[in-house]
Amino acid sequence: MRRKDREIKDINELLHIIDQCKVCRIAMQDEAGLYIVPMNFGYSYENKQLTLYFHSAKEGRKIEALKANSDICFEMDCGHKLITGDMACNYSYSYKSIIGYGQVSFVDDLEEKKHALTVLMKHQTGQYFEFNEKMISKVCVFKITVTEFTGKEANHR
């Protein structure tokens, strides 16, 4: 990170940013090139391991790319605020962001899929939902086991 003065290192602050973010952009590569997709997500942080959970259709470019190459980069941001000024050069933007890397794996186990969808819905809505086998069988669930992530905050004026 170039701007070390904006880096967030405290895990509680990093998790607070993740709590505020509702969309995570995942970047991957396939034979056609680079590909980035915004997705809703849920997460867990246990034993110093961050895991991000996603659900998706069972087929498509994203799924094929992830099956071919499990390396992933992700980004999420929140706290957006335009800072105005007297002239163009005085304008700025406040935000908080997380950028990281990890490995994707597909979740096939029924109980783990239930857990992933429960975590995702809790993160997105603040509520707990029940999932039955029929509902679960209709979606693809995958997770990112995060290997590295950093946080940044630009808080102007």
Short mmCIF file of all heavy atoms in Angstrom, two decimals, residues 46-100:
data_model
loop_
_atom_site.label_atom_id
_atom_site.label_comp_id
_atom_site.label_asym_id
_atom_site.label_seq_id
_atom_site.Cartn_x
_atom_site.Cartn_y
_atom_site.Cartn_z
N GLU A 46 -13.00 -16.51 12.13
CA GLU A 46 -12.78 -17.46 13.22
C GLU A 46 -11.33 -17.92 13.21
O GLU A 46 -10.79 -18.23 12.15
CB GLU A 46 -13.71 -18.66 13.08
CG GLU A 46 -15.18 -18.30 13.15
CD GLU A 46 -16.10 -19.46 12.82
OE1 GLU A 46 -15.61 -20.58 12.58
OE2 GLU A 46 -17.32 -19.24 12.77
N ASN A 47 -10.73 -17.96 14.38
CA ASN A 47 -9.34 -18.40 14.52
C ASN A 47 -8.41 -17.64 13.58
O ASN A 47 -7.56 -18.22 12.91
CB ASN A 47 -9.22 -19.90 14.30
CG ASN A 47 -10.05 -20.68 15.29
OD1 ASN A 47 -10.07 -20.38 16.48
ND2 ASN A 47 -10.75 -21.69 14.80
N LYS A 48 -8.62 -16.32 13.51
CA LYS A 48 -7.81 -15.42 12.68
C LYS A 48 -7.90 -15.73 11.18
O LYS A 48 -7.01 -15.39 10.41
CB LYS A 48 -6.35 -15.43 13.14
CG LYS A 48 -6.17 -14.92 14.55
CD LYS A 48 -4.72 -14.86 14.94
CE LYS A 48 -4.59 -14.30 16.36
NZ LYS A 48 -3.21 -14.13 16.77
N GLN A 49 -9.01 -16.37 10.77
CA GLN A 49 -9.22 -16.70 9.36
C GLN A 49 -10.50 -16.02 8.86
O GLN A 49 -11.58 -16.27 9.38
CB GLN A 49 -9.34 -18.22 9.17
CG GLN A 49 -9.65 -18.65 7.74
CD GLN A 49 -8.56 -18.24 6.76
OE1 GLN A 49 -7.42 -18.66 6.89
NE2 GLN A 49 -8.91 -17.41 5.78
N LEU A 50 -10.35 -15.16 7.86
CA LEU A 50 -11.48 -14.52 7.22
C LEU A 50 -11.96 -15.40 6.06
O LEU A 50 -11.16 -15.81 5.22
CB LEU A 50 -11.09 -13.14 6.68
CG LEU A 50 -12.17 -12.36 5.93
CD1 LEU A 50 -13.37 -12.06 6.83
CD2 LEU A 50 -11.59 -11.07 5.36
N THR A 51 -13.26 -15.68 6.05
CA THR A 51 -13.88 -16.45 4.98
C THR A 51 -15.07 -15.66 4.46
O THR A 51 -15.91 -15.21 5.24
CB THR A 51 -14.35 -17.83 5.47
OG1 THR A 51 -13.25 -18.52 6.07
CG2 THR A 51 -14.91 -18.67 4.33
N LEU A 52 -15.14 -15.46 3.15
CA LEU A 52 -16.24 -14.77 2.50
C LEU A 52 -17.12 -15.81 1.80
O LEU A 52 -16.60 -16.73 1.16
CB LEU A 52 -15.72 -13.77 1.48
CG LEU A 52 -14.72 -12.72 1.98
CD1 LEU A 52 -14.21 -11.88 0.81
CD2 LEU A 52 -15.35 -11.84 3.04
N TYR A 53 -18.44 -15.64 1.91
CA TYR A 53 -19.39 -16.58 1.32
C TYR A 53 -20.24 -15.88 0.27
O TYR A 53 -20.68 -14.75 0.47
CB TYR A 53 -20.31 -17.16 2.39
CG TYR A 53 -19.60 -18.00 3.41
CD1 TYR A 53 -19.26 -17.46 4.65
CD2 TYR A 53 -19.28 -19.32 3.15
CE1 TYR A 53 -18.61 -18.23 5.60
CE2 TYR A 53 -18.63 -20.10 4.09
CZ TYR A 53 -18.29 -19.55 5.31
OH TYR A 53 -17.65 -20.30 6.25
N PHE A 54 -20.52 -16.60 -0.83
CA PHE A 54 -21.29 -16.07 -1.95
C PHE A 54 -22.26 -17.13 -2.46
O PHE A 54 -21.98 -18.32 -2.33
CB PHE A 54 -20.36 -15.68 -3.11
CG PHE A 54 -19.29 -14.70 -2.72
CD1 PHE A 54 -18.10 -15.14 -2.19
CD2 PHE A 54 -19.50 -13.34 -2.89
CE1 PHE A 54 -17.11 -14.24 -1.82
CE2 PHE A 54 -18.51 -12.43 -2.53
CZ PHE A 54 -17.32 -12.88 -1.98
N HIS A 55 -23.35 -16.70 -3.07
CA HIS A 55 -24.22 -17.63 -3.78
C HIS A 55 -24.40 -17.12 -5.20
O HIS A 55 -24.25 -15.92 -5.47
CB HIS A 55 -25.55 -17.82 -3.06
CG HIS A 55 -26.53 -16.73 -3.28
ND1 HIS A 55 -26.35 -15.45 -2.82
CD2 HIS A 55 -27.71 -16.73 -3.92
CE1 HIS A 55 -27.38 -14.71 -3.16
NE2 HIS A 55 -28.22 -15.45 -3.84
N SER A 56 -24.71 -18.04 -6.08
CA SER A 56 -24.72 -17.70 -7.50
C SER A 56 -25.56 -18.72 -8.25
O SER A 56 -25.91 -19.78 -7.72
CB SER A 56 -23.27 -17.76 -8.00
OG SER A 56 -23.19 -17.67 -9.39
N ALA A 57 -25.82 -18.41 -9.51
CA ALA A 57 -26.35 -19.42 -10.42
C ALA A 57 -25.29 -20.52 -10.55
O ALA A 57 -24.12 -20.31 -10.25
CB ALA A 57 -26.64 -18.80 -11.78
N LYS A 58 -25.71 -21.66 -10.98
CA LYS A 58 -24.80 -22.81 -11.06
C LYS A 58 -23.90 -22.81 -12.29
O LYS A 58 -22.98 -23.61 -12.37
CB LYS A 58 -25.60 -24.11 -11.03
CG LYS A 58 -26.24 -24.37 -9.68
CD LYS A 58 -26.94 -25.71 -9.67
CE LYS A 58 -27.37 -26.06 -8.28
NZ LYS A 58 -27.89 -27.43 -8.22
N GLU A 59 -24.18 -21.92 -13.22
CA GLU A 59 -23.35 -21.90 -14.43
C GLU A 59 -23.17 -20.47 -14.91
O GLU A 59 -23.84 -19.56 -14.45
CB GLU A 59 -23.97 -22.77 -15.53
CG GLU A 59 -25.39 -22.44 -15.83
CD GLU A 59 -26.04 -23.47 -16.75
OE1 GLU A 59 -25.85 -24.68 -16.55
OE2 GLU A 59 -26.74 -23.02 -17.66
N GLY A 60 -22.23 -20.30 -15.81
CA GLY A 60 -21.93 -18.99 -16.36
C GLY A 60 -20.44 -18.74 -16.36
O GLY A 60 -19.64 -19.55 -15.88
N ARG A 61 -20.06 -17.60 -16.89
CA ARG A 61 -18.64 -17.27 -17.02
C ARG A 61 -17.92 -17.28 -15.68
O ARG A 61 -16.81 -17.79 -15.56
CB ARG A 61 -18.48 -15.91 -17.71
CG ARG A 61 -17.03 -15.53 -17.91
CD ARG A 61 -16.85 -14.22 -18.62
NE ARG A 61 -15.42 -13.92 -18.75
CZ ARG A 61 -14.94 -12.78 -19.20
NH1 ARG A 61 -15.77 -11.83 -19.62
NH2 ARG A 61 -13.64 -12.58 -19.26
N LYS A 62 -18.53 -16.68 -14.67
CA LYS A 62 -17.91 -16.60 -13.35
C LYS A 62 -17.60 -18.00 -12.80
O LYS A 62 -16.49 -18.27 -12.35
CB LYS A 62 -18.83 -15.83 -12.40
CG LYS A 62 -18.42 -15.85 -10.96
CD LYS A 62 -19.40 -15.09 -10.09
CE LYS A 62 -20.72 -15.78 -10.05
NZ LYS A 62 -21.88 -15.05 -10.43
N ILE A 63 -18.58 -18.87 -12.85
CA ILE A 63 -18.41 -20.22 -12.31
C ILE A 63 -17.33 -20.97 -13.08
O ILE A 63 -16.48 -21.64 -12.47
CB ILE A 63 -19.76 -20.98 -12.32
CG1 ILE A 63 -20.78 -20.27 -11.43
CG2 ILE A 63 -19.56 -22.43 -11.90
CD1 ILE A 63 -20.36 -20.09 -9.98
N GLU A 64 -17.35 -20.87 -14.39
CA GLU A 64 -16.33 -21.54 -15.20
C GLU A 64 -14.94 -21.00 -14.90
O GLU A 64 -13.97 -21.75 -14.79
CB GLU A 64 -16.66 -21.42 -16.69
CG GLU A 64 -17.93 -22.15 -17.10
CD GLU A 64 -17.96 -23.61 -16.65
OE1 GLU A 64 -16.96 -24.33 -16.88
OE2 GLU A 64 -18.98 -24.03 -16.07
N ALA A 65 -14.83 -19.68 -14.75
CA ALA A 65 -13.53 -19.07 -14.44
C ALA A 65 -13.02 -19.54 -13.07
O ALA A 65 -11.84 -19.86 -12.92
CB ALA A 65 -13.63 -17.54 -14.47
N LEU A 66 -13.91 -19.58 -12.08
CA LEU A 66 -13.50 -20.00 -10.74
C LEU A 66 -13.13 -21.48 -10.68
O LEU A 66 -12.24 -21.86 -9.92
CB LEU A 66 -14.62 -19.69 -9.74
CG LEU A 66 -14.93 -18.21 -9.53
CD1 LEU A 66 -16.15 -18.03 -8.64
CD2 LEU A 66 -13.73 -17.46 -8.98
N LYS A 67 -13.79 -22.29 -11.48
CA LYS A 67 -13.44 -23.72 -11.53
C LYS A 67 -12.08 -23.93 -12.18
O LYS A 67 -11.33 -24.81 -11.79
CB LYS A 67 -14.52 -24.51 -12.29
CG LYS A 67 -15.78 -24.70 -11.48
CD LYS A 67 -16.81 -25.49 -12.26
CE LYS A 67 -18.06 -25.71 -11.44
NZ LYS A 67 -19.11 -26.45 -12.18
N ALA A 68 -11.76 -23.09 -13.15
CA ALA A 68 -10.49 -23.22 -13.87
C ALA A 68 -9.31 -22.65 -13.09
O ALA A 68 -8.19 -23.13 -13.22
CB ALA A 68 -10.59 -22.55 -15.23
N ASN A 69 -9.58 -21.62 -12.28
CA ASN A 69 -8.50 -20.96 -11.54
C ASN A 69 -9.09 -20.42 -10.23
O ASN A 69 -9.87 -19.48 -10.25
CB ASN A 69 -7.92 -19.82 -12.38
CG ASN A 69 -6.78 -19.11 -11.69
OD1 ASN A 69 -6.45 -19.37 -10.53
ND2 ASN A 69 -6.16 -18.17 -12.39
N SER A 70 -8.69 -21.00 -9.14
CA SER A 70 -9.27 -20.64 -7.84
C SER A 70 -8.65 -19.40 -7.21
O SER A 70 -9.12 -18.94 -6.17
CB SER A 70 -9.16 -21.81 -6.87
OG SER A 70 -7.79 -22.09 -6.58
N ASP A 71 -7.62 -18.83 -7.83
CA ASP A 71 -7.02 -17.59 -7.30
C ASP A 71 -7.99 -16.43 -7.50
O ASP A 71 -8.56 -16.28 -8.59
CB ASP A 71 -5.70 -17.28 -8.00
CG ASP A 71 -4.63 -18.31 -7.69
OD1 ASP A 71 -4.66 -18.90 -6.60
OD2 ASP A 71 -3.76 -18.52 -8.56
N ILE A 72 -8.12 -15.63 -6.49
CA ILE A 72 -9.10 -14.54 -6.54
C ILE A 72 -8.54 -13.29 -5.90
O ILE A 72 -7.71 -13.36 -4.99
CB ILE A 72 -10.40 -14.97 -5.85
CG1 ILE A 72 -11.56 -14.04 -6.18
CG2 ILE A 72 -10.28 -15.03 -4.37
CD1 ILE A 72 -12.53 -14.68 -7.08
N CYS A 73 -9.00 -12.15 -6.38
CA CYS A 73 -8.76 -10.87 -5.74
C CYS A 73 -10.15 -10.30 -5.46
O CYS A 73 -11.09 -10.52 -6.23
CB CYS A 73 -7.98 -9.96 -6.69
SG CYS A 73 -7.62 -8.33 -5.99
N PHE A 74 -10.29 -9.58 -4.35
CA PHE A 74 -11.59 -9.00 -4.04
C PHE A 74 -11.42 -7.59 -3.50
O PHE A 74 -10.36 -7.22 -3.01
CB PHE A 74 -12.38 -9.87 -3.05
CG PHE A 74 -11.76 -9.97 -1.69
CD1 PHE A 74 -12.09 -9.07 -0.68
CD2 PHE A 74 -10.84 -10.97 -1.40
CE1 PHE A 74 -11.50 -9.15 0.57
CE2 PHE A 74 -10.26 -11.07 -0.14
CZ PHE A 74 -10.59 -10.16 0.85
N GLU A 75 -12.49 -6.81 -3.60
CA GLU A 75 -12.51 -5.43 -3.11
C GLU A 75 -13.91 -5.10 -2.64
O GLU A 75 -14.90 -5.52 -3.23
CB GLU A 75 -12.11 -4.46 -4.23
CG GLU A 75 -11.96 -3.01 -3.80
CD GLU A 75 -13.26 -2.20 -3.77
OE1 GLU A 75 -14.27 -2.64 -4.36
OE2 GLU A 75 -13.26 -1.13 -3.14
N MET A 76 -13.98 -4.35 -1.54
CA MET A 76 -15.25 -3.82 -1.05
C MET A 76 -14.99 -2.43 -0.48
O MET A 76 -13.89 -2.15 -0.03
CB MET A 76 -15.88 -4.75 -0.02
CG MET A 76 -15.02 -5.02 1.19
SD MET A 76 -15.71 -6.25 2.34
CE MET A 76 -15.26 -7.79 1.53
N ASP A 77 -16.00 -1.56 -0.55
CA ASP A 77 -15.82 -0.21 -0.03
C ASP A 77 -17.14 0.33 0.50
O ASP A 77 -18.20 -0.13 0.11
CB ASP A 77 -15.22 0.71 -1.10
CG ASP A 77 -15.97 0.67 -2.39
OD1 ASP A 77 -17.01 1.34 -2.49
OD2 ASP A 77 -15.53 -0.03 -3.32
N CYS A 78 -17.04 1.33 1.37
CA CYS A 78 -18.22 1.92 1.99
C CYS A 78 -17.84 3.29 2.55
O CYS A 78 -16.70 3.73 2.40
CB CYS A 78 -18.74 1.03 3.11
SG CYS A 78 -17.54 0.77 4.44
N GLY A 79 -18.80 3.96 3.20
CA GLY A 79 -18.53 5.24 3.83
C GLY A 79 -18.23 6.34 2.85
O GLY A 79 -17.44 7.24 3.12
N HIS A 80 -18.88 6.31 1.70
CA HIS A 80 -18.61 7.27 0.63
C HIS A 80 -19.15 8.66 0.97
O HIS A 80 -20.29 8.80 1.39
CB HIS A 80 -19.25 6.80 -0.67
CG HIS A 80 -18.86 5.41 -1.03
ND1 HIS A 80 -19.77 4.42 -1.25
CD2 HIS A 80 -17.65 4.83 -1.17
CE1 HIS A 80 -19.15 3.29 -1.53
NE2 HIS A 80 -17.86 3.52 -1.50
N LYS A 81 -18.31 9.66 0.75
CA LYS A 81 -18.76 11.04 0.98
C LYS A 81 -17.89 11.98 0.14
O LYS A 81 -16.66 11.97 0.25
CB LYS A 81 -18.64 11.42 2.45
CG LYS A 81 -19.14 12.82 2.74
CD LYS A 81 -19.02 13.16 4.21
CE LYS A 81 -19.45 14.60 4.43
NZ LYS A 81 -19.10 15.06 5.77
N LEU A 82 -18.56 12.77 -0.67
CA LEU A 82 -17.87 13.77 -1.47
C LEU A 82 -17.49 14.94 -0.58
O LEU A 82 -18.29 15.45 0.18
CB LEU A 82 -18.77 14.27 -2.61
CG LEU A 82 -18.18 15.36 -3.50
CD1 LEU A 82 -16.98 14.84 -4.28
CD2 LEU A 82 -19.26 15.90 -4.45
N ILE A 83 -16.24 15.35 -0.68
CA ILE A 83 -15.74 16.51 0.04
C ILE A 83 -15.60 17.64 -0.98
O ILE A 83 -14.86 17.50 -1.95
CB ILE A 83 -14.37 16.22 0.71
CG1 ILE A 83 -14.43 14.97 1.58
CG2 ILE A 83 -13.89 17.44 1.48
CD1 ILE A 83 -15.43 15.03 2.71
N THR A 84 -16.33 18.72 -0.78
CA THR A 84 -16.33 19.82 -1.74
C THR A 84 -15.26 20.85 -1.38
O THR A 84 -14.73 20.86 -0.27
CB THR A 84 -17.71 20.51 -1.78
OG1 THR A 84 -18.02 21.01 -0.49
CG2 THR A 84 -18.79 19.54 -2.23
N GLY A 85 -14.96 21.70 -2.34
CA GLY A 85 -13.95 22.74 -2.14
C GLY A 85 -14.27 23.96 -2.95
O GLY A 85 -15.25 24.00 -3.71
N ASP A 86 -13.43 24.96 -2.81
CA ASP A 86 -13.61 26.20 -3.55
C ASP A 86 -13.19 26.07 -5.01
O ASP A 86 -13.64 26.84 -5.86
CB ASP A 86 -12.80 27.33 -2.89
CG ASP A 86 -13.31 27.66 -1.50
OD1 ASP A 86 -14.49 27.39 -1.22
OD2 ASP A 86 -12.51 28.18 -0.69
N MET A 87 -12.30 25.12 -5.28
CA MET A 87 -11.83 24.89 -6.63
C MET A 87 -11.65 23.38 -6.83
O MET A 87 -11.64 22.63 -5.87
CB MET A 87 -10.53 25.65 -6.92
CG MET A 87 -9.48 25.52 -5.84
SD MET A 87 -8.16 26.72 -5.99
CE MET A 87 -7.14 25.96 -7.19
N ALA A 88 -11.54 22.97 -8.08
CA ALA A 88 -11.52 21.54 -8.41
C ALA A 88 -10.47 20.76 -7.62
O ALA A 88 -10.74 19.67 -7.14
CB ALA A 88 -11.29 21.37 -9.91
N CYS A 89 -9.29 21.31 -7.45
CA CYS A 89 -8.20 20.61 -6.76
C CYS A 89 -8.47 20.42 -5.27
O CYS A 89 -7.78 19.64 -4.62
CB CYS A 89 -6.88 21.33 -6.98
SG CYS A 89 -6.34 21.28 -8.69
N ASN A 90 -9.43 21.14 -4.72
CA ASN A 90 -9.76 21.00 -3.30
C ASN A 90 -10.83 19.95 -3.04
O ASN A 90 -11.14 19.66 -1.90
CB ASN A 90 -10.21 22.35 -2.72
CG ASN A 90 -9.08 23.35 -2.66
OD1 ASN A 90 -7.91 22.97 -2.61
ND2 ASN A 90 -9.42 24.62 -2.70
N TYR A 91 -11.41 19.42 -4.09
CA TYR A 91 -12.40 18.34 -3.93
C TYR A 91 -11.68 17.05 -3.57
O TYR A 91 -10.53 16.83 -3.98
CB TYR A 91 -13.20 18.14 -5.21
CG TYR A 91 -14.39 19.06 -5.33
CD1 TYR A 91 -14.22 20.42 -5.58
CD2 TYR A 91 -15.68 18.57 -5.21
CE1 TYR A 91 -15.31 21.27 -5.69
CE2 TYR A 91 -16.78 19.41 -5.32
CZ TYR A 91 -16.59 20.75 -5.55
OH TYR A 91 -17.66 21.59 -5.66
N SER A 92 -12.36 16.21 -2.83
CA SER A 92 -11.80 14.91 -2.48
C SER A 92 -12.96 13.96 -2.18
O SER A 92 -14.12 14.30 -2.39
CB SER A 92 -10.88 15.05 -1.25
OG SER A 92 -10.20 13.85 -1.03
N TYR A 93 -12.62 12.79 -1.68
CA TYR A 93 -13.64 11.78 -1.41
C TYR A 93 -13.23 10.97 -0.19
O TYR A 93 -12.09 10.50 -0.11
CB TYR A 93 -13.79 10.87 -2.63
CG TYR A 93 -15.17 10.30 -2.78
CD1 TYR A 93 -16.21 11.08 -3.25
CD2 TYR A 93 -15.44 8.99 -2.45
CE1 TYR A 93 -17.49 10.58 -3.40
CE2 TYR A 93 -16.71 8.47 -2.58
CZ TYR A 93 -17.74 9.26 -3.05
OH TYR A 93 -19.00 8.78 -3.19
N SER A 94 -14.15 10.82 0.75
CA SER A 94 -13.90 9.97 1.91
C SER A 94 -14.46 8.58 1.64
O SER A 94 -15.52 8.45 1.02
CB SER A 94 -14.57 10.55 3.16
OG SER A 94 -13.94 11.73 3.56
N TYR A 95 -13.78 7.56 2.12
CA TYR A 95 -14.24 6.18 1.95
C TYR A 95 -13.44 5.27 2.87
O TYR A 95 -12.41 5.66 3.44
CB TYR A 95 -14.06 5.71 0.50
CG TYR A 95 -12.61 5.66 0.08
CD1 TYR A 95 -11.85 4.50 0.25
CD2 TYR A 95 -11.98 6.77 -0.45
CE1 TYR A 95 -10.51 4.47 -0.10
CE2 TYR A 95 -10.65 6.75 -0.81
CZ TYR A 95 -9.92 5.60 -0.62
OH TYR A 95 -8.60 5.57 -0.98
N LYS A 96 -13.90 4.05 2.99
CA LYS A 96 -13.18 2.96 3.66
C LYS A 96 -13.20 1.79 2.70
O LYS A 96 -14.21 1.56 2.01
CB LYS A 96 -13.87 2.57 4.96
CG LYS A 96 -13.92 3.69 5.98
CD LYS A 96 -14.71 3.27 7.20
CE LYS A 96 -14.83 4.44 8.15
NZ LYS A 96 -15.64 4.10 9.33
N SER A 97 -12.11 1.04 2.63
CA SER A 97 -12.08 -0.08 1.69
C SER A 97 -11.26 -1.24 2.24
O SER A 97 -10.40 -1.07 3.10
CB SER A 97 -11.51 0.36 0.34
OG SER A 97 -10.14 0.72 0.47
N ILE A 98 -11.56 -2.39 1.70
CA ILE A 98 -10.83 -3.63 1.97
C ILE A 98 -10.44 -4.21 0.62
O ILE A 98 -11.27 -4.28 -0.29
CB ILE A 98 -11.71 -4.66 2.72
CG1 ILE A 98 -12.22 -4.11 4.05
CG2 ILE A 98 -10.97 -5.99 2.88
CD1 ILE A 98 -11.20 -4.03 5.15
N ILE A 99 -9.19 -4.62 0.49
CA ILE A 99 -8.72 -5.32 -0.70
C ILE A 99 -7.99 -6.56 -0.23
O ILE A 99 -7.22 -6.50 0.74
CB ILE A 99 -7.79 -4.44 -1.56
CG1 ILE A 99 -8.56 -3.24 -2.11
CG2 ILE A 99 -7.16 -5.25 -2.69
CD1 ILE A 99 -7.71 -2.26 -2.90
N GLY A 100 -8.23 -7.68 -0.91
CA GLY A 100 -7.57 -8.91 -0.48
C GLY A 100 -7.46 -9.94 -1.57
O GLY A 100 -7.92 -9.75 -2.70
#
